[in-house]
Amino acid sequence: AGRVGGNAQLPADHLKYRLPFLKSLLRREPWRRKSVSEELRALGVSADDIVDELSNPTDWGLPGSYTDSNQPGAKREVRLVGKSGTEVVIEGEDESGNQFKCKGTLNGKSGMLTVDFGPKQGEGVAAKLLGQVVSYLPLSEAGHPGIVWQDGSTWEKV
């Protein structure tokens, strides 16, 4: 058994699930690093292991299907392609039923996306947008993960 936050006892089999979860939070939610690091140390994880965990890139749970807050009912499929695991392909349909395919990159350490939505906007239009992958959307009733885009729109993972 181990102690979490100094106030709760966890069975040993729970720890094998709790540790990977906490390590993923460490990378995916930078604003919680201090509290998560303290909890990991309470579970016996060394400071060096925590630093190593932060230096490993991740896919941030990005691949999957999403709904777009600006276009209810519109689905978006997000995939990571290529050997580096940082190339992103987004396929979907706009409100007029037109199919689109956009490309971008994922920073595996920060969870920041840069996507060229030009193909969605029309021929010859450059429309790069930044997005942040989050483990839950604050306005999501179900608390699902998603992407918050710099234009204010959100995509909720389904």
Side-chain angles (χ1 to χ4, degrees):
R3 297 190 69 74
V4 177
N7 61 12
Q9 208 52 307
L10 292 176
D13 63 333
H14 181 75
L15 292 178
K16 74 178 179 183
Y17 300 106
R18 185 76 179 153
L19 285 173
F21 170 75
L22 288 172
K23 287 181 177 183
S24 72
L25 279 182
L26 200 59
R27 292 187 306 252
R28 295 169 80 171
E29 297 183 5
W31 60 91
R32 293 178 61 184
R33 284 187 179 156
K34 183 178 179 187
S35 64
V36 172
S37 294
E38 289 170 1
E39 189 169 346
L40 283 167
R41 281 194 295 276
L43 293 172
V45 177
S46 75
D48 288 340
D49 287 342
I50 293 171
V51 169
D52 286 346
E53 194 64 40
L54 286 171
S55 66
N56 292 330
T58 177
D59 72 2
W60 287 73
L62 179 66
S65 299
Y66 293 81
T67 59
D68 185 338
S69 65
N70 286 346
Q71 298 177 6
K75 297 282 188 208
R76 311 287 187 243
E77 283 296 321
V78 180
R79 296 180 290 124
L80 290 175
V81 297
K83 293 180 183 179
S84 69
T86 62
E87 297 171 49
V88 176
V89 172
I90 298 173
E91 294 182 278
E93 194 172 279
D94 67 18
E95 61 275 1
S96 302
N98 299 319
Q99 300 283 325
F100 67 87
K101 182 176 184 177
C102 301
K103 295 181 180 181
T105 58
L106 170 68
N107 180 320
K109 290 187 179 181
S110 69
M112 186 65 70
L113 287 166
T114 304
V115 178
D116 180 3
F117 282 98
K120 181 178 182 290
Q121 305 300 325
E123 190 96 16
V125 176
K128 287 197 175 184
L129 260 182
L130 296 177
Q132 176 66 53
V133 181
V134 294
S135 58
Y136 78 96
L137 290 169
L139 300 177
S140 166
E141 290 180 21
H144 289 161
I147 304 168
V148 177
W149 296 99
Q150 80 184 90
D151 68 356
S153 65
T154 58
W155 290 7
E156 185 171 355
K157 196 166 187 180
V158 292

